[in-house]
Amino acid sequence: MRAQVLICPTITLRAYGHLCHTPRRLYRYGSSSQFLNLNLSRFSRRLLTSFFHMEFQSGAGSSGKKSMVENLKRYGVISSKRVAQVMEHLDRGLFVPAGSSAYVDTPVPIGYNATISAPHMHATCLQLLEDKLQPGMRALDVGSGTGYLTGCFALMVGAEGRVVGVDHIPELVDMSIKNIEKSVAASLLTKGSLSLHVGDGRKGWQEFAPYDAIHVGAAASEIPQPLLDQLKPGGRMVIPLGTYFQELKVIDKSEDGSIKAHTETSVRYVPLTSREEQLGGF
């Protein structure tokens, strides 16, 4: 099908607020209480208007995946060959609710006051963690949602690695397992190198720690200590920090256990909170 999309590299203009971003940042015009799992940065209204009329093909299956990845590459969001390959290999269409725009660069509500992040956020996090997602390495995905990014991690570390997804909504964990069972990552789930669990992601998942890579898909007010403890020396964590104003932080643990952090970009994520608060609308 042919999809109208705002390609202001590379986020859709939404009805509930004007949103636009460059490959590094995105800025939100207007007001909305909804959390979107997006990059945030300034962009002129004149460019918003011109980009609004651009289109790209967003078909089903392999053509849709290819269009999505090529679009992200074109605007500089994806520069890694490995990231491009894994995002084209794993079909995002299997991980969004039926009827959703799977290949347009926009977050999608998945129920339970949660979203699957926009593809540009998945690409950004995969690239930031790429060096820690080599074959045989271990990764933890906190707030694994429908399982898409968890599946990408699993494909990157391979059968000899170990990937753990954790979410505190049982229905989402059940959904993610079913999604992965339909995907190219199914064999990794069967072999046990990929697993998804119901739990409080703020506590990590001690059983398979330490992890070379930890991704947190919700914004915390501060880094949970259990996640720092479970990060392997030499490992890296990517986590959004903040409440209303949030930044995507890259946390590196040195071999001596010391921590270094830098800000990658401004973002807007759902809060990292309890199951009860999430279901109650924060």
Side-chain angles (χ1 to χ4, degrees), residues 110-247:
I110 58 175
Y112 312 98
N113 289 317
T115 64
I116 177 175
S117 296
H120 75 274
M121 284 309 305
H122 286 148
T124 297
C125 292
L126 285 169
Q127 294 203 156
L128 289 171
L129 291 169
E130 181 180 8
D131 289 347
K132 312 302 178 183
L133 294 170
Q134 299 299 319
M137 290 185 170
R138 295 190 172 203
L140 172 66
D141 187 18
V142 173
S144 49
T146 64
Y148 176 73
L149 196 59
T150 322
C152 288
F153 290 164
L155 292 177
M156 293 181 81
V157 304
E160 62 270 42
R162 160 66 71 169
V163 173
V164 177
V166 180
D167 202 290
H168 56 199
I169 305 296
E171 293 85 351
L172 287 179
V173 174
D174 290 342
M175 183 192 304
S176 66
I177 292 172
K178 292 175 182 177
N179 293 341
I180 288 174
E181 286 175 340
K182 295 182 289 186
S183 77
V184 294
S187 63
L188 299 173
L189 189 65
T190 302
K191 293 174 182 177
S193 55
L194 165 60
S195 59
L196 297 117
H197 307 270
V198 178
D200 186 340
R202 297 171 295 184
K203 298 178 181 179
W205 196 261
Q206 183 63 46
E207 182 181 0
F208 301 109
Y211 299 98
D212 299 277
I214 296 178
H215 167 264
V216 183
S221 56
E222 60 184 17
I223 304 171
Q225 187 61 45
L227 298 184
L228 283 175
D229 294 341
Q230 292 173 33
L231 185 63
K232 184 178 180 179
R236 170 172 282 191
M237 181 192 312
V238 173
I239 178 171
L241 289 181
T243 51
Y244 192 83
F245 298 101
Q246 302 170 3
E247 294 179 328

Side-chain angles (χ1 to χ4, degrees), residues 102-103 178 224 252:
Y103 310 112
K178 292 175 182 177
D252 290 305

